[in-house]
């Protein structure tokens, strides 16, 4: 009676329940029911402001002590479930009082007997359970603003419930969340046996994500302005072990106003969503969860959230690795390498640019930043060498009277020392002025080959020291590199130019003698 009242008040009630085919005749110690029909069954699950659950309070039984969750370092909230009302006695209050005294002595007296042996549960079977026009509501008062939702129009059957350990009841129940979002629950269960078994699929479709703003604002740090949710969940419990998989599809998710929640994850959530969302605005996630029901720390919802946050964290901390795995380019997709002093893309860099174009096409919300950067220790000497070589080639071209094309002229390094000295002396006279003055350690050399080689080295070094590479020259080189990457991303592609930004920063480093630029996503 007491449990029934508690259920009716705090958890569940019904308009009408019909039970047919109860059979005690063949075996008085066994309960067999042909059919239970529940019409307008209504269930209400409430998470209280202290995070306690009304269902747990009801099922704990009267007089049980409940410890509600509390904030860290705070004292737990202790409550006692209401005790059953005193039974009425036909013989009056004196009999009731005496029976209470006797009962008290029987339980607490020194002569009290030991605990009674456990009573084996009665074997039972329910052939068919039918639901008509049921409803289940869920409210969470622990978040602000409070969250509420419900499943309407619950219809369906559960066939073959039994307390036999190896029995499997067939579940086929369906309804709708807030009328327009279908829900179905199908599979096998064993709810009446001590050997709990569950193999259920739960599918929710077309759920409006904006109703979850209390959670989105608290945990993601943003309110949701638009989005649809579809979930395909599968739970299997056998031998107290849970294996669960959650396939989640989120369509057209858009965030709005940022909240000031202290519980929000410290991650760039919008970037993570942009990385996970495909070109059609769809996010597909698989969230597997496993554990044992005997673990007191095992809680399904926090674990699912933890798995989701891990996916989000992995995406935003290594976004290019994710894109490289999905669309090619490898885990170092964000790195473009250049030869020192050069702004040309080699074959490897061009391949990465093509992979990045594919990634940007498939993730249309992403924007990319290309650095205007350089490495002075590598680029400055390389620019000096490039200018020296240009000057030597100009002198070489002038000497031949342009009778030969630059392609036909021998490379400077292939010339003999005497020819090198002749060309370098012309460059020296033009750029430095006058005849070069060689140091004594050069002029004292006796053999001509050694003398010419020493003079060539001296002239090359003197010309290098005379060539000035300014910071403006390095900036221009950085701009040329960024524009080369920009050109590769935008030429003959579908990428919107507004998504590619050239940014002045220091994201360049020496990588095995090459200048490595690091791209960024926003």
């Amino acid at each position: 009676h007491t449990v029934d009242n508690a259920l009716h008040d705090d958890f569940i009630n019904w308009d009408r329940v019909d039970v047919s085919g109860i059979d005690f005749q063949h075996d008085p110690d066994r309960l067999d029911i042909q059919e239970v029909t529940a019409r307008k069954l209504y269930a209400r699950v409430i998470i209280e402001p202290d995070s306690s659950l009304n269902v747990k309070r009801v099922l704990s039984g009267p007089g049980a002590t409940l410890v509600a969750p509390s904030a860290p370092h705070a004292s737990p909230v202790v409550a006692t479930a209401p005790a059953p009302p005193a039974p009425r006695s036909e013989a009056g209050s004196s009999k009731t009082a005496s029976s209470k005294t006797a009962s008290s002595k029987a339980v607490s007296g020194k002569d009290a007997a030991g605990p009674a042996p456990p009573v084996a549960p009665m074997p039972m079977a329910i052939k068919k359970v039918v639901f008509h026009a049921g409803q289940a509501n869920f409210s969470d008062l622990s978040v602000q603003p409070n969250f509420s939702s419900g499943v309407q129009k619950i219809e369906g059957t559960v066939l073959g419930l039994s307390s036999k350990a190896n029995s499997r009841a067939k579940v086929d129940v369906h309804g709708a969340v807030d009328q327009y979002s279908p829900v179905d629950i199908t599979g096998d269960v064993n709810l009446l046996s001590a050997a709990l078994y569950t193999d259920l699929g739960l599918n929710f479709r077309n759920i409006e994500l904006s109703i979850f703003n209390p959670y989105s604002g608290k945990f993601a740090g943003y309110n949701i302005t638009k989005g649809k949710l579809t979930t395909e969940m599968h739970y299997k419990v056998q031998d107290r072990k849970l294996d669960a998989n959650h396939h989640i599809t989120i369509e057209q998710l858009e965030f709005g106003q940022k909240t000031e929640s202290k519980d929000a994850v410290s991650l760039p959530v919008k970037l993570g969503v942009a990385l996970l969302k495909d070109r059609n605005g769809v996010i597909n996630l698989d969230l597997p969860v496993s554990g044992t029901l005997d673990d007191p720390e095992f809680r399904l919802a926090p674990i699912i959230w933890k798995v989701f946050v891990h996916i989000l964290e992995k995406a935003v901390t290594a976004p290019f690795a994710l894109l490289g795995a999905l669309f090619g380019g490898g885990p170092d997709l964000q790195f473009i390498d250049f030869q020192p002093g050069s702004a040309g893309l080699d074959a490897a860099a061009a391949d990465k640019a093509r992979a990045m174009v594919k990634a940007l096409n498939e993730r249309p919300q992403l924007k990319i930043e290309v650095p205007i950067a350089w490495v002075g220790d590598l680029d400055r000497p390389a620019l000096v060498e490039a200018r020296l070589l240009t000057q030597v080639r100009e002198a070489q071209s002038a000497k031949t009277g342009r009778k030969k094309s630059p392609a036909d002229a021998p490379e400077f390094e292939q010339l003999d020392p005497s020819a090198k000295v002749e060309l370098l002396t012309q460059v020296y006279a033009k750029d430095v002025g006058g005849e070069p003055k060689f140091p004594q350690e050069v002029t004292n050399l006796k053999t001509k080959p050694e003398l010419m080689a020493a003079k060539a080295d001296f002239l090359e070094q003197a010309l290098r020291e005379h060539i000035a590479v300014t910071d403006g020259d390095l900036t221009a080189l950085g701009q040329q590199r960024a524009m080369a990457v920009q050109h590769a991303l935008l030429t003959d592609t579908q990428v919107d130019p507004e998504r590619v930004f050239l940014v002045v920063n220091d994201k360049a480093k020496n990588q095995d003698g090459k200048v490595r630029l690091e791209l960024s996503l926003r």
Side-chain angles (χ1 to χ4, degrees), residues 336-347 349-350 477 480-482 484-485 515:
I336 303 292
D337 294 337
F338 290 88
Q339 292 295 335
S342 172
L345 296 178
D346 60 16
L477 175 61
Q480 292 167 10
R481 286 171 172 161
V485 176
V515 177

Side-chain angles (χ1 to χ4, degrees), residues 374-394:
W374 60 90
V375 177
D377 292 343
L378 292 178
D379 286 323
R380 198 181 297 272
L383 288 177
V384 168
E385 289 297 321
R387 290 187 184 180
L388 176 59
L389 183 59
T390 298
Q391 292 171 351
V392 170
R393 285 178 175 172
E394 289 176 352

Side-chain angles (χ1 to χ4, degrees), residues 12 73 92 158 165 229 250 269 289 298 301 346 362 364 382 387 404 412 430 436 442 447 477 482 516:
I12 193 169
H73 311 300
V158 180
L229 172 68
I250 302 173
V269 175
V289 174
F298 182 80
D346 60 16
E362 295 298 321
R387 290 187 184 180
K404 295 182 179 180
F412 176 74
K430 179 181 178 181
V442 173
T447 63
L477 175 61
R516 169 163 286 185

